[in-house]
Amino acid sequence: MIDHALSSLGAQVVLATSCDEKHPPENIIDGNIETFWISTGMFPQEFIIRFAESMKISLVTLHSYNVKTLKIEKSISDDATDFEPISEKQLEHIEGHLQTTDIPLNGLTVTHLRFIVTSGFDHFVSVHRISIE
Amino acid sequence: MVKLRARCLLVGDPAVGKSALCHMFRSDGAHFQKNYSMTAGVELLVKSISIPETRDSVELYIFDSAGRETFVEACEKLWGQPSVLCLVFDVSSEPSFTSCGRWLERVRAHCPDSHIPGVLVGNKSDLSSRREVETSVALEWAQSQGLEYCETSTKEMENCEAPFLTLAQAFHASYQDRLQTIQNLT
Ligand SMILES: Nc1nc2c(ncn2[C@@H]2O[C@H](COP(=O)(O)OP(=O)(O)OP(=O)(O)O)[C@@H](O)[C@H]2O)c(=O)[nH]1
Ligand SMILES: [Mg+2]
């Protein structure tokens, strides 16, 4: 199953370290690649997605720009605590193109996913869409 | 309306007035430290600046870093990925100006991927009879390095906000620019 808007499944962004009111973190889960969340300076940056109920996930796909290193953590608690690292990625920069990153999760069950951008190819990074399978 | 955050590195030779300058800026001119108290590590000061003619602001996280060579290596570990640079020398000390090239190299080694807006500050402009570095020479070097230039006298409370405002504006401009780029991608 590929969902097009995580928000339509009841997912929410419960925390984000940056907020430009014109480019809010909800843009990450609205299924639209044209809308985005942008960081407003300094690293690390992070955001946490909460699912409506615990989900079995085999693949996370992230569309972003200027992200250099990304860490992903999961939680199975109800209140976004006890995160455990599940993946760390070095992304490539392609001038003028969005980065598409697949992160296989082998059917992990989660209630929250936390994305931490520890460095960027620029002062500002953007995340356009996250989809899961 | 957006609030940006910038990691502002404040570097330069010992005793050029880095700590005096950022304390003066943070306290809005209320406080000049006459006695030299050497910085032995990194001191963090936070202050928000409004960008004129917008509703936006930039919160500067100023990393006031020790000038003394003994401490520099330890300080560098705390610099992280800087957003903007404030490089200070003392206009009454030629050697402090000569060192600026080395400071700039050090900082640039910390940001291999992105251009960082910077300002060169000639401090202690009140010491006119002891001046060793002419404005035109400093300005020319700053321009050759892609830096803005300004002179300050922390002692006389002269121009102390200018370097930080310049940096905040440059950072804000690069944000606008980046937004444009990203909007054009999709
Ligand atoms: N005349 C004059 N003296 C100044 C000015 N700014 C700072 N000073 C003096 O210069 C001395 C050194 O100032 P600091 O701000 O401690 O120098 P620093 O660059 O932070 O030095 P380190 O921490 O060792 O790297 C102090 O005695 C200050 O009072 C100025 O504009 N004019
Ligand atoms: Mg100092």
Side-chain angles (χ1 to χ4, degrees):
Chain A
M1 173 202 78
I2 297 179
D3 71 281
H4 291 288
L6 281 174
S7 54
S8 67
L9 296 176
Q12 292 172 281
V13 180
V14 290
L15 176 145
T17 46
S18 283
C19 187
D20 180 332
E21 59 191 16
K22 293 204 190 92
H23 305 282
E26 289 68 37
N27 286 351
I28 296 170
I29 54 170
D30 66 358
N32 182 351
I33 203 156
E34 290 181 12
T35 61
F36 56 89
W37 167 76
I38 183 166
S39 73
T40 56
M42 306 218 301
F43 294 98
Q45 292 282 340
E46 73 168 71
F47 56 89
I48 296 176
I49 296 176
R50 168 184 290 164
F51 299 102
E53 51 199 40
S54 70
M55 298 267 281
K56 221 175 168 151
I57 298 178
S58 57
L59 182 73
V60 173
T61 304
L62 175 110
H63 298 273
S64 60
Y65 194 61
N66 275 329
V67 174
K68 191 174 182 188
T69 41
L70 175 72
K71 288 189 198 165
I72 302 173
E73 300 181 349
K74 63 144 194 183
S75 163
I76 49 169
S77 73
D78 292 334
D79 53 355
T81 53
D82 303 320
F83 279 94
E84 291 169 30
I86 49 177
S87 175
E88 184 161 351
K89 289 255 172 198
Q90 292 283 335
L91 277 60
E92 302 279 317
H93 177 64
I94 317 156
E95 189 68 44
H97 290 276
L98 288 185
Q99 303 161 307
T100 302
T101 312
D102 285 332
I103 304 135
L105 294 187
N106 305 318
L108 270 184
T109 300
V110 308
T111 55
H112 297 80
L113 285 176
R114 175 190 205 168
F115 296 80
I116 307 162
V117 180
T118 50
S119 65
F121 290 101
D122 185 58
H123 303 295
F124 311 106
V125 303
S126 57
V127 178
H128 295 245
R129 182 167 73 180
I130 284 181
S131 47
I132 58 171
E133 279 176 35
Chain B
M1 185 182 81
V2 61
K3 188 171 97 182
L4 304 178
R5 291 200 194 98
R7 190 183 261 267
C8 173
L9 273 193
L10 181 58
V11 297
D13 272 6
V16 296
K18 300 181 293 299
S19 300
L21 179 68
C22 65
H23 281 276
M24 181 62 79
F25 166 63
R26 212 245 326 241
S27 66
D28 290 314
H31 182 74
F32 173 66
Q33 174 136 15
K34 199 156 179 291
N35 298 324
Y36 175 41
S37 157
M38 180 175 68
T39 309
V42 174
E43 196 194 343
L44 176 63
L45 285 91
V46 185
K47 182 163 170 165
S48 199
I49 292 201
S50 310
I51 303 300
E53 286 152 43
T54 69
R55 291 165 59 229
D56 303 341
S57 61
V58 177
E59 196 168 35
L60 288 177
Y61 287 69
I62 304 172
F63 286 66
D64 175 15
S65 199
R68 192 154 299 282
E69 203 51 48
T70 332
F71 304 121
V72 174
E73 208 176 303
C75 289
E76 279 196 49
K77 296 198 172 77
L78 302 169
W79 288 358
Q81 192 170 349
S83 322
V84 295
L85 167 68
C86 184
L87 174 54
V88 187
F89 70 97
D90 170 352
V91 296
S92 71
S93 153
E94 172 83 41
S96 76
F97 175 63
T98 313
S99 297
C100 288
R102 197 166 36 87
W103 283 109
L104 195 57
E105 244 169 66
R106 269 197 182 126
V107 173
R108 288 197 170 144
H110 277 258
C111 19
D113 301 306
S114 45
H115 166 76
I116 93 163
V119 60
L120 178 71
V121 179
N123 188 38
K124 308 200 188 181
S125 61
D126 54 287
L127 301 177
S128 46
S129 61
R130 285 163 46 194
R131 186 184 270 271
E132 291 182 1
V133 183
E134 290 312 318
T135 304
S136 57
V137 175
L139 178 64
E140 193 177 320
W141 184 77
Q143 285 172 341
S144 75
Q145 300 297 320
L147 303 171
E148 299 285 335
Y149 181 62
C150 62
E151 291 195 352
T152 56
S153 165
T154 310
K155 187 169 171 230
E156 305 293 330
M157 294 190 244
E158 196 89 30
N159 222 17
C160 295
E161 201 202 8
F164 300 104
L165 181 59
T166 302
L167 290 173
Q169 284 178 311
F171 193 66
H172 182 257
S174 76
Y175 179 72
Q176 299 298 337
D177 185 64
R178 199 54 48 178
L179 258 182
Q180 201 66 53
T181 308
I182 293 170
Q183 262 152 351
N184 290 340
L185 287 178
T186 51

